[in-house]
Amino acid sequence: MTGTELQLLGCAKTFGGKTKALLPTDLVVKPGEILGLLGPSGCGKTTMLRIMAGLETPDAGGKVLFDDEDVTKVPIEHRSIGMVFQSYALFPNMSVRQNVGYGLKVRGIDGPERDGRVDEVMAFCRLEGLADRAIDQLSGGQRQRVALARAVAPRPRVLLLDEPLSALDAALRDTLRDELAMILRGLSMTAVFVTHDQSEAMAIADSIAVMKAGRIEQRAAPEVLYRDPQTDFVASFVGGANRLAGRFEDGELHLDGGTLKTGIEGNQPDHIFIRQEDIQISSPDVSALRGTVIGRVYLGTHTKLTIAGVSETPLVVSLQGATAPQIGEIVGLDIPATSLIHF
Amino acid sequence: MFIFFCFLPLIVFSLAFLALPLVRLFSASVEGELGWSIYGEILSNPRYMQSLLDTVLVSLAVTIAALLVATTAALFLTHNRFRGRSLLIASLTFPLAFPGVVIGFLMILLGGRQGLVNNISSNVFDTRLVFAYSMVGLFFGYLYFSIPRVLLTVMATAEKLDPALVEAARSLGAAPLQVLRDVTLPGLAPALIASGAIAFATAMGAFGTAFTLATDIDVLPMVIYTEFTLSANIAMACALSVLLGLVTWVLLMFARSLTGTSIAASG
């Protein structure tokens, strides 16, 4: 892999002397790796990105390294990063070509060399034929690709993206997400992007750092994060897993809706998690767990059921196949002990 | 029909306050002894033409200086939060409430024969420094009441500029001056044009300050006043007024089209 290794060493950020946006954090992004920073708003992911960019300085003691070079005190304009902003921040007084070429222009690269590089990057980001358009003549997806092309044209050491898809319509987002993933992979550039959408993180990233309240909860490849979450937060935020809370006794979890055999021995937790697609619906007569359907959303490939009366909070079940129970029906739930997630 | 009633106030306003007085002013200017040749008389009179040129020059200088000072201040005030900031902004707009006469007083207090500057320079450097009664005094007086107008308009626009635009330019390697030239100023352009036009037009027509500072100053509004009150030459006063309005209008149109094309060319 080509690219720059990005390292944060003990980076923290405190705003106004008291608001701790980021607790001391160590992080390594390998050359060419695409890292997703995933978390709810206010978790510190954008602050971390801005520290990498040089738009914020870490609290004393924190260090930012590009390969072995300490860039902590290097301002953003000399750090050689490419950045895609949430609002895209395209220059409205310049054409698409001038936007994409701006980073080369301020570096004093002119004439055929600049034109050649701009054409190359625009072709790569599928912007052919748009060179002379004004920014306000572009669609949302095109704007996003112009922002990306502008950021990568000067060949930055690290590419940083702040919620690159959140300004788009929901209908467009899925298509453009896959397209962005493809372009980023083709660049083979060290990249870090911020998102609050777990499917976005999974689709684009090689590795995801899940953040909560200023710290990284877990850092792993998407499939590892989904199959083997290490904290409650990761289980519920990334996998959308259901929390089952009750009283443990001899390997059985006693819930409002019945008893669940867990097969857990020794150290017994007071709650466990189960993923939405690992719950099967069966007849209430034969099942040890029962609940009432209070919500039903048909989504084509699957049906999303909300079931009350099983645990403290309603359970969400993702059901394949056409025959899902109706609202108000009492159903039985089969939960295989092997699918349970506990810490 | 409904649309017509919506437009009615605009039509009434345009007729009563815009068209009618202008038409009357123009017709009064050609009703004198000279008739239409009064405009030829103005163009061939060096005193009138000199005063027109002086008026345009001092107004241009005031506009440029006000744009420079106010834009710098507006950008600073937009990007920095500090104790007393709102008080400072409120007091910067203070001169808006003053009539030209008061501003004239202020200039005399500052740069007059008994003024602060003269007192200091006489005592410290042993040189007299009096500028209140000249074009320099007028320039500073006009600048004083132009800055708040420009400042308020530019600040309102600067606060709406997406801060990510500046960050984006910096991330691409642009130095502060390049960011200012390529991002900030183009973003402020509409506000600069609008407030610059107001500053220019106000300076062209300002009278009170010039009247207070009087002695050496011969700006066009002063000439009109003299023709009207002292010489009782109403036709000439009207013709000069038409000229003042026309020149201001043409220059503003020219500035607008110039900046308009330059924005279009860069976009």
Side-chain angles (χ1 to χ4, degrees):
Chain A
M1 270 293 188
T2 53
T4 303
E5 183 181 72
L6 167 66
Q7 266 194 82
L8 298 188
L9 295 175
C11 279
K13 184 69 189 177
T14 315
F15 287 110
K18 45 181 185 289
T19 317
K20 291 201 185 307
L22 189 66
L23 299 168
T25 302
D26 294 320
L27 181 76
V28 180
V29 190
K30 294 196 293 288
E33 185 179 3
I34 302 174
L35 172 74
L37 297 176
L38 173 66
S41 58
C43 70
K45 57 191 192 300
T46 299
T47 304
M48 193 192 273
L49 193 81
R50 290 175 68 86
I51 288 175
M52 292 169 178
L55 287 168
E56 304 284 357
T57 41
D59 293 348
K63 270 200 173 104
V64 184
L65 303 182
F66 284 5
D67 288 331
D68 292 326
E69 185 194 342
D70 184 349
V71 295
T72 316
K73 293 199 165 59
V74 178
I76 180 169
E77 52 265 42
H78 300 305
R79 213 175 259 206
S80 183
I81 55 118
M83 190 146 180
V84 176
F85 291 82
Q86 193 169 2
S87 61
Y88 304 142
L90 299 175
F91 307 130
N93 51 321
M94 300 181 198
S95 67
V96 169
R97 168 174 288 281
Q98 288 170 323
N99 263 281
V100 175
Y102 188 74
L104 301 170
K105 184 184 156 200
V106 296
R107 282 171 175 74
I109 298 170
D110 285 313
E113 193 188 347
R114 181 161 94 209
D115 288 344
R117 293 244 312 251
V118 169
D119 286 337
E120 189 187 318
V121 174
M122 294 220 319
F124 192 79
C125 294
R126 306 208 300 98
L127 290 165
E128 298 103 329
L130 299 176
D132 298 319
R133 290 272 185 95
I135 297 307
D136 56 13
Q137 293 173 310
L138 301 177
S139 71
Q142 290 167 339
R143 282 173 203 225
Q144 187 218 44
R145 294 203 298 278
V146 174
L148 185 64
R150 183 180 68 177
V152 300
R155 295 184 188 146
R157 303 173 74 178
V158 175
L159 180 62
L160 305 169
L161 306 97
D162 187 6
E163 301 265 9
L165 293 158
S166 69
L168 299 166
D169 295 341
L172 268 174
R173 212 173 293 157
D174 284 2
T175 331
L176 292 175
R177 180 190 69 199
D178 300 346
E179 193 177 85
L180 178 65
M182 251 164 63
I183 295 178
L184 285 183
R185 260 174 232 296
L187 286 169
S188 61
M189 196 179 264
T190 309
V192 179
F193 75 98
V194 157
T195 179
H196 62 270
D197 181 318
Q198 53 102 0
S199 62
E200 209 173 291
M202 297 228 174
I204 299 174
D206 297 321
S207 163
I208 300 173
V210 182
M211 295 187 66
K212 184 196 171 194
R215 51 184 293 267
I216 296 175
E217 288 264 312
Q218 188 178 353
R219 155 93 189 268
E223 50 272 34
V224 175
L225 218 52
Y226 191 78
R227 297 312 323 174
D228 188 22
Q230 297 296 311
T231 70
D232 285 6
F233 179 75
V234 175
S236 55
F237 191 78
V238 177
N242 293 294
R243 186 175 190 270
L244 296 174
R247 185 171 48 83
F248 247 103
E249 213 175 271
D250 301 330
E252 290 186 332
L253 183 61
H254 297 276
L255 299 161
D256 298 347
T259 308
L260 178 67
K261 286 197 170 56
T262 63
I264 301 171
E265 290 166 11
N267 191 18
Q268 297 185 333
D270 65 349
H271 65 273
I272 52 175
F273 286 90
I274 180 76
R275 271 181 289 270
Q276 299 174 10
E277 68 275 20
D278 290 341
I279 303 176
Q280 297 299 321
I281 298 295
S282 65
S283 158
D285 306 330
V286 296
S287 184
L289 269 179
R290 295 201 298 171
T292 312
V293 179
I294 58 164
R296 183 183 192 273
V297 181
Y298 178 68
L299 291 164
T301 55
H302 63 281
T303 306
K304 235 176 185 138
L305 297 176
T306 311
I307 298 172
V310 183
S311 184
E312 290 163 351
T313 46
L315 253 62
V316 178
V317 178
S318 173
L319 201 62
Q320 304 280 335
T323 54
Q326 298 298 322
I327 290 177
E329 259 183 67
I330 294 175
V331 293
L333 297 107
D334 287 346
I335 298 178
T338 46
S339 305
L340 295 175
I341 305 164
H342 58 92
F343 311 110
Chain B
M1 204 56 196
F2 176 70
I3 295 289
F4 175 75
F5 280 113
C6 293
F7 275 117
L8 202 59
L10 179 67
I11 294 167
V12 170
F13 173 80
S14 318
L15 284 178
F17 296 100
L18 230 60
L20 216 59
L22 281 180
V23 169
R24 188 73 199 99
L25 189 71
F26 185 71
S27 64
S29 73
V30 293
E31 276 166 8
E33 290 167 22
L34 290 165
W36 284 87
S37 63
I38 194 163
Y39 286 99
E41 167 72 18
I42 293 176
L43 294 180
S44 59
N45 183 325
R47 184 175 145 249
Y48 293 152
M49 292 319 282
Q50 185 62 47
S51 116
L52 175 66
L53 185 69
D54 288 350
T55 313
V56 170
L57 287 180
V58 78
S59 302
L60 267 182
V62 166
T63 307
I64 292 165
L67 284 174
L68 282 175
V69 175
T71 304
T72 317
L75 287 175
F76 178 82
L77 287 170
T78 309
H79 295 303
N80 295 281
R81 294 282 179 272
F82 49 87
R83 197 187 277 267
R85 178 177 174 273
S86 356
L87 189 72
L88 181 64
I89 292 171
S91 43
L92 280 172
T93 58
F94 210 59
L96 281 177
F98 286 152
V101 176
V102 176
I103 291 165
F105 282 159
L106 288 177
M107 278 306 118
I108 291 172
L109 291 176
L110 206 65
R113 278 177 282 272
Q114 306 296 323
L116 182 70
V117 173
N118 192 29
N119 278 343
I120 292 174
S121 68
S122 303
N123 291 330
V124 179
F125 304 108
D126 205 24
T127 37
R128 290 178 55 74
L129 202 58
V130 177
F131 60 81
Y133 316 102
S134 65
M135 278 294 176
V136 178
L138 199 62
F139 168 81
F140 281 115
Y142 285 5
L143 187 61
Y144 182 70
F145 69 66
S146 293
I147 285 175
R149 289 161 214 265
V150 181
L151 185 75
L152 287 181
T153 317
V154 175
M155 260 186 78
T157 308
E159 270 166 9
K160 274 184 275 170
L161 280 187
D162 182 1
L165 282 174
V166 171
E167 291 177 348
R170 291 182 61 203
S171 77
L172 291 163
L177 276 178
Q178 289 172 316
V179 175
L180 185 72
R181 184 195 65 196
D182 299 331
V183 177
T184 313
L185 288 181
L188 292 178
L192 296 178
I193 294 167
S195 58
I198 290 175
F200 180 75
T202 315
M204 284 292 285
F207 174 71
T209 313
F211 190 68
T212 316
L213 301 176
T215 32
D216 296 341
I217 305 171
D218 220 10
V219 286
L220 206 51
M222 284 290 286
V223 177
I224 295 172
Y225 176 80
T226 320
E227 290 295 337
F228 188 71
T229 56
L230 300 183
S231 323
N233 190 348
I234 292 174
M236 183 53 85
C238 289
L240 287 170
S241 306
V242 170
L243 183 70
L244 178 67
L246 208 64
V247 168
T248 310
W249 182 74
V250 166
L251 286 174
L252 287 182
M253 286 292 285
F254 178 66
R256 229 168 250 270
S257 67
L258 208 68
T259 46
T261 45
S262 77
I263 287 168
S266 70

